[in-house]
Amino acid sequence: MPSRRRSLWSTTTSGTRLSGCCGRVSCWRPARRRRTTTPARSPRSSPAAGRGSDRRPNAAEEAVRVSGYELRRDGAVVRFVLRRPEVRNALTPEILRALERTAREVGEDRETRVLVVEAGPGEPFSSGFDFAALRELTGRESEVDDMLRATATALEETPVPVVVAISRYCYGAALELVLACDLRLAAAGSRFALPIAAIGRIYPVDGMLRLIRAVGASGAVRLQLAAEPIDVRRALAWGLVHDIAPVNQLGARVDELVGSLLRSSPNALAEIKRMMRALQVGMAEDLPRLRVVEDVYRSAVARLRASGDFDEGVAAFIDKRPPSWAV
């Protein structure tokens, strides 16, 4: 197992910030004086460790807030919190890059044992990729695929267990990120959808493989062709999520799961993740066949681009009107 030597949090005389962060003043917290009378709590016994998103961060937490998301450290747990309630936590390139960077850095951080991905209190998990940002990338949609692929891969490859807490709904690109997380918990009443055909696009090959591994070929076809939400009970039956909690107990259920992970050997957890990924990739990736599928995907994307369906789908969604598809 590679040595995890570098700390995610860089300490200076003026404060502590996230390594690789933007360096803005808002990304710093004041340095604390050392206390000599009270011993530091261990990550396992810290009351802050593993608390859910249904509470406010306290003064003992290390918090970093930037546009669209918040990073918090609760002892040995790092939390990546989506904070764009005004647009239903729609994802942006900046958020995807930040989540990718966080996943890679916690894997190298000797202090971090668990990464939790969640939304802010009372907020939906995510409505998917921000359509305003998508419109700005017209003609460069492959960049979105590349960002999603890089972020999902980072979540899968980090040796730290990744827990995701899903509230209310999880659509589109957000679902791809959720499928890359190790343990998926959802609040009762949550809904899931992959309406990619409704905007004139198709799912990238690696995303399809991840979806098929989670829900099987039948479920993957249903989610992509029907483009209709499924409820959390069906998501549990299909394997899309691992557990359901009452809405007001989702945070507590996350706490329990995080506590269980903290009691386990971090080295064993990392090796289990590595073995599971190797088995899944080995079973799914017949490389000659995969190259053929990649060629089919690229040709399909080119045809959809030429038809104008993707541009029309995005424009119709933003304008809140029915799309007029090419025939």
Side-chain angles (χ1 to χ4, degrees), residues 66-69 80 82-84 86-87 89-100 126-134 136-137 143-144 147-148 151 173-174 177:
V66 296
S67 178
Y69 70 95
F80 189 100
L82 298 172
R83 300 305 299 266
R84 299 187 75 208
E86 69 281 1
V87 288
N89 283 333
L91 303 172
T92 63
E94 292 75 21
I95 290 175
L96 292 177
R97 284 191 286 265
L99 181 53
E100 178 195 357
S126 176
S127 58
F129 199 82
D130 190 316
F131 275 78
L134 199 57
E136 293 177 2
L137 291 169
E143 294 181 22
V144 178
M147 284 185 284
L148 283 170
T151 306
L177 298 183

Side-chain angles (χ1 to χ4, degrees), residues 12-317:
T12 71
T13 55
S14 58
T16 303
R17 69 180 177 88
L18 183 67
S19 299
C21 193
C22 61
R24 296 175 182 169
V25 174
S26 61
C27 293
W28 291 73
R29 69 171 177 84
R32 295 197 187 98
R33 296 178 180 176
R34 292 187 178 180
R35 296 182 180 180
T36 56
T37 56
T38 304
R41 292 180 182 269
S42 68
R44 295 181 182 178
S45 62
S46 170
R51 290 184 180 174
S53 60
D54 52 356
R55 64 168 182 84
R56 295 180 180 178
N58 58 43
E61 293 174 327
E62 299 170 350
V64 178
R65 180 184 288 275
V66 296
S67 178
Y69 70 95
E70 181 182 356
L71 272 175
R72 298 207 304 264
R73 175 182 286 284
D74 296 343
V77 182
V78 167
R79 294 177 179 272
F80 189 100
V81 187
L82 298 172
R83 300 305 299 266
R84 299 187 75 208
E86 69 281 1
V87 288
R88 300 177 296 172
N89 283 333
L91 303 172
T92 63
E94 292 75 21
I95 290 175
L96 292 177
R97 284 191 286 265
L99 181 53
E100 178 195 357
R101 182 175 64 245
T102 300
R104 296 200 182 283
E105 290 193 348
V106 297
E108 300 173 357
D109 174 35
R110 62 180 179 272
E111 299 175 4
T112 304
R113 299 277 305 280
V114 181
L115 173 62
V116 176
V117 183
E118 59 192 351
E123 299 171 13
F125 181 73
S126 176
S127 58
F129 199 82
D130 190 316
F131 275 78
L134 199 57
R135 179 176 257 179
E136 293 177 2
L137 291 169
T138 298
R140 297 183 290 131
E141 294 82 14
S142 62
E143 294 181 22
V144 178
D145 293 342
D146 292 342
M147 284 185 284
L148 283 170
R149 181 182 299 110
T151 306
T153 300
L155 291 169
E156 288 178 330
E157 290 183 346
T158 182
V160 172
V162 182
V163 178
V164 61
I166 304 155
S167 49
R168 294 176 59 183
Y169 48 80
C170 174
Y171 292 167
L175 184 55
E176 181 166 355
L177 298 183
V178 161
L179 290 173
C181 297
D182 302 305
L183 296 165
R184 305 182 287 272
L185 279 66
S190 298
R191 299 193 302 167
F192 303 80
L194 194 60
I196 194 163
I199 60 168
R201 289 211 74 196
I202 61 174
Y203 217 29
V205 175
D206 57 309
M208 283 192 184
L209 285 172
R210 195 174 287 112
L211 183 63
I212 290 171
R213 287 201 298 262
V215 303
S218 177
V221 168
R222 163 69 170 76
L223 279 167
Q224 293 178 91
L225 295 190
E228 296 174 346
I230 63 170
D231 62 32
V232 71
R233 292 291 177 187
R234 180 172 292 186
L236 179 65
W238 284 3
L240 200 60
V241 299
H242 297 116
D243 199 3
I244 302 172
V247 174
N248 61 352
Q249 296 178 25
L250 180 61
R253 182 67 189 97
V254 171
D255 290 353
E256 293 175 6
L257 188 55
V258 167
S260 177
L261 292 169
L262 291 176
R263 289 190 293 272
S264 297
S265 160
N267 292 325
L269 293 175
E271 294 301 339
I272 289 170
K273 284 196 62 170
R274 185 175 291 108
M275 286 295 298
M276 291 297 296
R277 177 164 169 75
L279 285 168
Q280 289 173 341
V281 171
M283 289 186 294
E285 292 188 1
D286 177 341
L287 290 179
R289 186 178 301 174
L290 191 61
R291 291 191 185 98
V292 171
V293 176
E294 288 280 7
D295 289 341
V296 172
Y297 170 71
R298 282 190 288 269
S299 298
V301 168
R303 288 192 296 272
L304 286 170
R305 163 55 56 197
S307 74
D309 275 2
F310 177 60
D311 293 339
E312 171 61 15
V314 172
F317 183 90

